[in-house]
Amino acid sequence: MANASAWLSLASTLVLSGTLIGAPIQEAPAPEGPQADPALVDLYVRKCASCHTVGKGARVGPDLKDVDQRRERRWIVDLIREPSKMLDRDPDARKLLQEFNGVRMPDLGLTAEQANGLADLIVLASRYPIDLSPAFVAVTEATAEDVARGRDLFTGRMRQKGGGPSCSACHTVQNAGGFFGGGTLAKELTHSFAVLGDEGLDAALANPSFPLMKDVFADHPLEPDEVFALRAFLNDANRSAGTDPDRLDILIVGLLGTVVVILILNAAWARRLRGVRHAFLPKRGSQS
């Protein structure tokens, strides 16, 4: 009887040990960090996300992760609120300007409270996993129809729903088509997808912070489906870069220029011939 009890005790111990040893070890859940203010997250997405990330690498401007470990608080807030003044007078800000190809951060019209709030949010997102990316559909989901629609929106063949001007009024893209290929008032955008990335380009189109675009599209914002189509087109343009530009556009511009020069020369030559003829014609009333 004693032996039976011993064997039963041993068996129970082995079963229990096997259960404990074989059971997966569950890690304690990581403590949740402080929650970000949704209003500040929305402000960041609208004002900052087109040029900056927090921990996902540089875009048009530097990655802002741990910026508080590199700069003083006052410097950060001043740059957020009045970047134009800082870029004109602060040596560190001017060094960043040179590092990022001379692209100036525009004044965003922020209050002191908003600038301080954004500084707090950036520090918080540097320490805890806070999603500061705008919600969007990746351009890998785009179809050929989306690319074609984006091209039409860019060139102005298709009007924007909000009534804004076509992108080609100020920008050019290689092989975009159109009569003259686009304007030269702003940057050439063939490689904009490579520079900004999918998320950065989405933010730049949906909530432009560049001075001219911000003013133009303040009352004429792009719709989400238009932003997606333009991203699809610009991604396609970036991938096919290196091919020859539209030869037809170049030919048309060249022919028009030639016609204008010929007309100017013809008018000048005709005026000169009239002067020569007057010199040889007899004056009225003179005797032959």
Side-chain angles (χ1 to χ4, degrees):
M1 188 69 178
N3 289 336
S5 298
W7 279 108
L8 182 60
S9 176
L10 178 61
S12 299
T13 302
L14 290 174
V15 170
L16 181 61
S17 299
T19 302
L20 292 175
I21 294 173
I25 300 175
Q26 296 183 353
E27 297 182 359
E32 293 186 2
Q35 298 297 309
D37 182 348
L40 284 175
V41 173
D42 177 69
L43 183 64
Y44 177 91
V45 168
R46 289 187 292 107
K47 298 291 189 179
C48 311
S50 60
C51 297
H52 301 280
T53 74
V54 180
K56 293 185 178 181
R59 284 182 180 163
V60 178
D63 189 333
L64 301 179
K65 183 177 174 62
D66 296 327
V67 66
D68 60 309
Q69 298 181 17
R70 303 188 296 271
R71 308 289 180 190
E72 294 181 356
R73 168 79 181 200
R74 178 64 181 272
W75 190 95
I76 298 170
V77 173
D78 285 348
L79 186 63
I80 293 174
R81 190 179 182 195
E82 297 181 309
S84 59
K85 290 184 179 180
M86 290 288 286
L87 292 172
D88 287 339
R89 71 189 183 197
D90 184 84
D92 290 335
R94 293 185 64 80
K95 184 177 179 181
L96 280 174
L97 184 64
Q98 294 177 353
E99 184 179 346
F100 287 89
N101 302 315
V103 179
R104 293 178 67 91
M105 177 177 170
D107 288 332
L108 302 174
L110 300 173
T111 65
E113 181 181 2
Q114 288 174 321
N116 276 280
L118 285 173
D120 291 336
L121 178 64
I122 292 167
V123 172
L124 192 66
S126 299
R127 308 288 189 274
Y128 301 97
I130 296 174
D131 185 12
L132 296 178
S133 302
F136 80 110
V137 179
V139 79
T140 51
E141 303 293 326
T143 65
E145 288 75 16
D146 294 320
V147 174
R149 183 165 180 258
R151 180 181 287 107
D152 288 345
L153 285 168
F154 183 91
T155 58
R157 294 190 187 102
M158 179 181 291
R159 288 184 59 82
Q160 298 170 16
K161 297 175 184 177
S166 67
C167 307
S168 62
C170 299
H171 301 278
T172 59
V173 165
Q174 202 174 100
N175 296 325
F179 191 69
F180 291 107
T184 57
L185 183 61
K187 284 184 174 294
E188 207 275 348
L189 298 180
T190 301
H191 298 290
S192 58
F193 190 92
V195 173
L196 293 175
D198 202 2
E199 293 183 28
L201 187 58
D202 181 77
L205 291 170
N207 300 289
S209 59
F210 305 106
L212 182 59
M213 282 187 67
K214 182 178 67 173
D215 293 339
V216 170
F217 288 95
D219 299 322
H220 308 283
L222 291 165
E223 294 292 327
D225 62 309
E226 293 173 326
V227 171
F228 179 73
L230 284 168
R231 282 193 289 121
F233 164 63
L234 291 171
N235 176 48
D236 183 75
N238 178 64
R239 293 172 59 187
S240 60
T243 58
D244 290 334
D246 292 335
R247 297 181 180 275
L248 181 59
D249 290 347
I250 296 175
L251 179 61
I252 291 174
V253 173
L255 288 174
L256 288 175
T258 302
V259 170
V260 170
V261 171
I262 290 174
L263 290 174
I264 293 173
L265 290 176
N266 185 60
W269 185 254
R271 196 178 301 114
R272 180 181 177 188
L273 285 177
R274 283 197 299 270
V276 172
R277 289 179 60 193
H278 282 308
F280 284 97
L281 289 176
K283 295 182 180 179
R284 288 185 179 182
S286 62
Q287 296 179 351
S288 56

